Amino acid sequence: MRVVIVDGYVDEPTCLGVPPYISTYVRYTAGALVAAGIPEESIDYFAIDQLRREPSLKESLFDADVIFLITGMTVPGRYLGGKPITEKEINEIGKIPTYKVVGGPIKFGFTLKGGTRAKELPFEGYQLICRGDVELAAYYLGKYLVEGRELPEGVFDQKRRAKHVNTFAPLGAFIVKKHFYFPNVICEIETFRGCERRRHCSYCTEGFYGSPDERELEKVVEEVKALYQNGVKYFRIGRQPNILGYKAVKTEGEFPKPNPEVICKLFREIREVGDIRTLHIDNVNAGTIDKHPNESKRALECIAKYDTEGDVAPFGLETADEKVIENNFLKVKPEGIKRAIRIVNEVGAFKEREDGLFKLLPGINFLVGLPGETKETFRKNVDFLKSVLDEGLLVRRVNIRQVMVFEGTPISEMVKRTKTKYRKEYERFKEWVREEFDLPMMKRVFPTGTVIKDVLLEAYDGGHTLGRQIGSYPVLVRIPERMELFSKVNVIVVGHRERSVIGIPIPIEINSISLKLLSYIPGISKKTATEIILKRPFKDSLELLSLFPQLEPLAKHISFKEGAQAPT
Ligand code: SF4
């Protein structure tokens, strides 16, 4: 028997599954099959990028008894680690003459671009379409396979509960080893699913999951242990709409009160699992912080204590225009977000290493194209960001995306057109953010001399290599030289762009570093770089610094291995 999981990738507000991320869907589906009695050896996993690159893998799909295609992008972005499945590829897999199941957030509709209305696909050739949860379907199908019964066809609409996740999640941990990024994969971890608000933000699909269904803390930790035992060292506690809502205490109002004791215990116990290299979070509801500042602050202090550096608490402001906020039942007003930004700065804007990354910083998400938006909306957004800059606050990132419309969300009844009417203002807003906000903020958050550790090199951009730490919203590092992909390096920040930093690998091998890299070091002109190259090899820092004292700030990162090369 052979079951193949094809990962077309997922990206939802509460679950990322584009490499290096491996989503909960894939892992739970594998675990559900094991729970049903299918041996691990009979379960294969291929990411869509692998199928594109290796035709033999694609051919091997023809030998499978069952194929699970898992995909769905409700908040598609631009990705470095992989390219999500296309409609054409979904149709091609549909033509393979074997039993096929399709599941994941694709049940909400298909689109790969913001500013569009998601369309329903016909899923021709697929025997089972999961409108419910694919992992639960996998469990039942697994049972049918083990018992040799005929597999059912049609629509599967049952939903799983937290108790199912608790069983499937640790059993599915083995699948991470089959990911083409392994061991450099990061696992999204679920604490609960569903939104705690009674009325949902107009554009959001989380309401489809119903009210919060929480996992027990011990079960979350048990899953992390299972993944760790299978070689995973990178985790993001991101599969929930609001980490401060986990085990929160119900109140009369819309926002339950955070439970700092539980949050502390969760992060402490996860950190104690072993040598965890990344422990980050995703999704913080600024409305919770605004309504319950004391409990939120204590919970965030704990997160900042037990997480790893470079963590981000992203807030969905969506817009600084109060009229648009009201129109779309959004969760928080601009002054509430400002309060939340201040609190995260108070508890998280510190470093454990002098030249390291800030521990926990806020992020801000904007959404363009919401009903009620006017030209004035963009001016208010700019004013809000200016006030953040003027107050000297730190923000790790600003994300601007266009609204996407999914049938069944309130917004699908509110708008006919999906693109913003104010194209020019939108473009100008983006440009302002990149030039006037992102660039100065990059310099504040990653000052020259910052050392970013374990940067995974993932792609080339002309003569540059692009890499990132494995974490939540890691900064893009641009190394001005081609280096071996999929290796990891430590880099020192030597420059800034709007969306990335320029870094050079450390230790700096002064006797072999290229002219190009040398001339990126602050204070080293091309002429000086040439002189350095002509005068090498250098024996030690005494010799080097006596001739080139401007290298003093980098002295502790310079190495003197032999191997000088001619100027390039
Ligand atoms: S608060 Fe709004 S954006 Fe957040 S999960 Fe609930 S409905 Fe979605």
Side-chain angles (χ1 to χ4, degrees):
M1 186 191 310
R2 183 163 172 261
V3 181
V4 180
I5 298 171
V6 174
D7 190 353
Y9 307 143
V10 306
D11 193 357
E12 293 180 279
T14 56
C15 186
L16 180 57
V18 182
Y21 278 81
I22 178 163
S23 73
T24 52
Y25 294 94
V26 166
R27 297 177 349 244
Y28 296 172
T29 298
L33 291 166
V34 173
I38 300 200
E40 287 180 10
E41 315 76 76
S42 302
I43 305 168
D44 266 334
Y45 164 88
F46 303 132
I48 187 67
D49 281 304
Q50 285 174 287
L51 295 182
R52 288 180 188 129
R53 278 197 299 262
E54 297 172 50
S56 63
L57 291 184
K58 208 166 174 184
E59 276 161 31
S60 80
L61 294 180
F62 286 76
D63 300 332
D65 295 289
V66 176
I67 297 171
F68 282 87
L69 171 63
I70 294 175
T71 189
M73 321 294 286
T74 60
V75 283
R78 288 218 302 262
Y79 309 101
L80 197 59
K83 186 170 158 268
I85 197 165
T86 61
E87 188 177 348
K88 188 167 165 237
E89 287 168 326
I90 293 172
N91 293 337
E92 272 171 19
I93 292 175
K95 288 183 191 141
I96 296 173
T98 188
Y99 185 93
K100 296 164 301 293
V101 185
V102 59
I106 190 128
K107 64 188 170 196
F108 302 134
F110 178 83
T111 176
L112 290 177
K113 246 172 87 188
T116 56
R117 192 175 273 268
K119 62 177 179 184
E120 202 168 309
L121 295 185
F123 298 123
E124 265 171 45
Y126 289 83
Q127 281 68 30
L128 197 68
I129 299 164
C130 296
R131 302 264 174 235
D133 286 307
V134 63
E135 54 268 42
L136 199 55
Y139 178 71
Y140 293 133
L141 287 178
K143 286 269 182 213
Y144 275 57
L145 281 168
V146 169
E147 290 160 13
R149 291 160 65 191
E150 199 178 322
L151 301 180
E153 298 193 0
V155 171
F156 180 84
D157 56 13
Q158 292 183 46
K159 287 189 180 163
R160 51 83 161 171
R161 305 285 306 166
K163 65 176 184 193
H164 298 115
V165 171
N166 292 339
T167 306
F168 302 157
L171 292 175
F174 76 96
I175 206 77
V176 294
K177 288 191 277 194
K178 302 191 181 217
H179 194 284
F180 70 108
Y181 260 64
F182 184 82
N184 297 314
V185 287
I186 175 163
C187 290
E188 192 83 283
I189 299 291
E190 173 174 346
T191 57
F192 70 96
R193 187 170 82 158
C195 174
E196 67 260 64
R197 290 186 76 198
R198 290 182 201 112
R199 193 172 186 187
H200 298 122
C201 304
S202 66
Y203 59 88
C204 182
T205 52
E206 190 68 16
F208 293 151
Y209 293 119
S211 14
D213 183 24
E214 293 178 323
R215 299 177 68 192
E216 293 312 310
L217 188 149
E218 297 69 31
K219 297 294 177 184
V220 177
V221 177
E222 193 183 304
E223 181 191 3
V224 171
K225 278 186 188 155
L227 289 162
Y228 185 79
Q229 279 156 9
N230 277 279
V232 179
K233 297 209 165 174
Y234 307 94
F235 297 90
R236 179 166 84 167
I237 316 300
R239 204 338 177 189
Q240 69 281 309
N242 175 19
I243 185 62
L244 298 178
Y246 179 56
K247 301 283 178 193
V249 183
K250 293 234 169 356
T251 58
E252 287 299 302
E254 248 199 329
F255 298 96
K257 198 188 279 183
N259 192 333
E261 284 68 36
V262 172
I263 298 282
C264 281
K265 189 167 167 7
L266 176 71
F267 282 82
R268 186 180 60 242
E269 291 195 7
I270 291 178
R271 201 62 203 271
E272 284 169 1
V273 163
D275 174 28
I276 286 182
R277 310 304 293 265
T278 294
L279 176 57
H280 283 176
I281 58 167
D282 195 17
N283 300 318
V284 180
N285 190 333
T288 305
I289 304 182
D290 188 33
K291 294 286 174 314
H292 308 288
N294 297 333
E295 292 78 8
S296 298
K297 192 172 172 186
R298 281 172 47 217
L300 288 162
E301 267 165 0
C302 261
I303 293 173
K305 179 174 176 188
Y306 294 111
D307 67 357
T308 54
E309 62 172 19
D311 197 3
V312 185
F315 301 134
L317 168 61
E318 323 306 1
T319 173
D321 186 334
E322 298 217 8
K323 274 199 204 128
V324 183
I325 292 173
E326 256 170 55
N327 256 0
N328 294 277
F329 339 114
L330 303 185
K331 52 205 169 278
V332 66
K333 294 192 172 164
E335 66 270 23
I337 288 262
K338 186 69 85 56
R339 235 167 268 140
I341 293 174
R342 286 191 197 112
I343 287 180
V344 174
N345 269 256
E346 274 170 45
V347 304
F350 68 94
K351 296 180 179 184
E352 284 177 339
R353 293 182 287 128
E354 200 192 331
D355 52 10
L357 306 182
F358 286 104
K359 206 65 193 304
L360 174 70
L361 293 182
I364 307 172
N365 298 330
F366 282 95
L367 204 48
V368 167
L370 286 169
E373 179 180 274
T374 62
K375 286 183 184 175
E376 193 59 5
T377 305
F378 296 93
R379 190 192 57 73
K380 289 182 176 169
N381 290 347
V382 167
D383 286 349
F384 177 82
L385 289 176
K386 270 186 189 161
S387 72
V388 170
L389 272 177
D390 292 346
E391 228 183 281
L393 294 164
L394 297 178
V395 171
R396 164 59 199 95
R397 75 194 273 273
V398 169
N399 184 41
I400 306 166
R401 63 182 180 88
Q402 287 199 80
V403 80
M404 288 171 56
V405 177
F406 288 88
E407 284 315 317
T409 54
I411 203 174
S412 65
E413 310 275 306
M414 296 162 77
V415 291
K416 283 212 176 70
R417 56 178 293 158
T418 48
K419 283 195 170 45
T420 175
K421 276 189 263 177
Y422 306 101
R423 191 80 218 167
K424 243 197 275 161
E425 286 73 13
Y426 169 44
E427 292 302 333
R428 262 190 239 132
F429 173 53
K430 279 200 295 188
E431 207 179 296
W432 183 89
V433 172
R434 299 299 162 242
E435 286 167 14
E436 306 294 331
F437 187 90
D438 283 348
L439 193 56
M441 202 50 94
M442 274 286 178
K443 291 178 181 170
R444 277 185 202 176
V445 174
F446 304 100
T448 302
T450 300
V451 170
I452 307 180
K453 291 190 169 175
D454 286 337
V455 174
L456 179 68
L457 305 179
E458 291 180 86
Y460 295 126
D461 181 22
H464 292 188
T465 308
L466 305 179
R468 298 171 296 175
Q469 280 188 317
I470 304 172
S472 196
Y473 309 107
V475 68
L476 184 67
V477 177
R478 181 175 281 278
I479 300 174
E481 189 162 75
R482 282 204 163 213
M483 298 185 67
E484 191 191 332
L485 294 185
F486 285 93
S487 57
K488 275 199 228 150
V489 291
N490 296 338
V491 301
I492 186 160
V493 174
V494 293
H496 303 86
R497 290 191 175 181
E498 288 98 343
R499 306 289 280 167
S500 59
V501 293
I502 299 168
I504 57 175
I506 53 170
I508 297 167
E509 300 293 353
I510 200 70
N511 289 325
S512 58
I513 187 173
S514 68
L515 175 72
K516 189 175 168 194
L517 272 189
L518 252 185
S519 47
Y520 271 90
I521 294 176
I524 302 290
S525 63
K526 213 158 189 179
K527 185 167 162 267
T528 314
T530 310
E531 281 171 26
I532 292 173
I533 284 180
L534 290 173
K535 290 212 160 46
R536 64 192 188 188
F538 301 97
K539 203 163 64 304
D540 53 28
S541 51
L542 205 64
E543 186 188 356
L544 176 72
L545 298 181
S546 65
L547 293 169
F548 301 100
Q550 58 271 59
L551 287 172
E552 173 70 47
L554 291 180
K556 68 173 176 182
H557 300 298
I558 296 178
S559 153
F560 294 87
K561 263 196 237 150
E562 288 292 330
Q565 59 183 33
T568 52

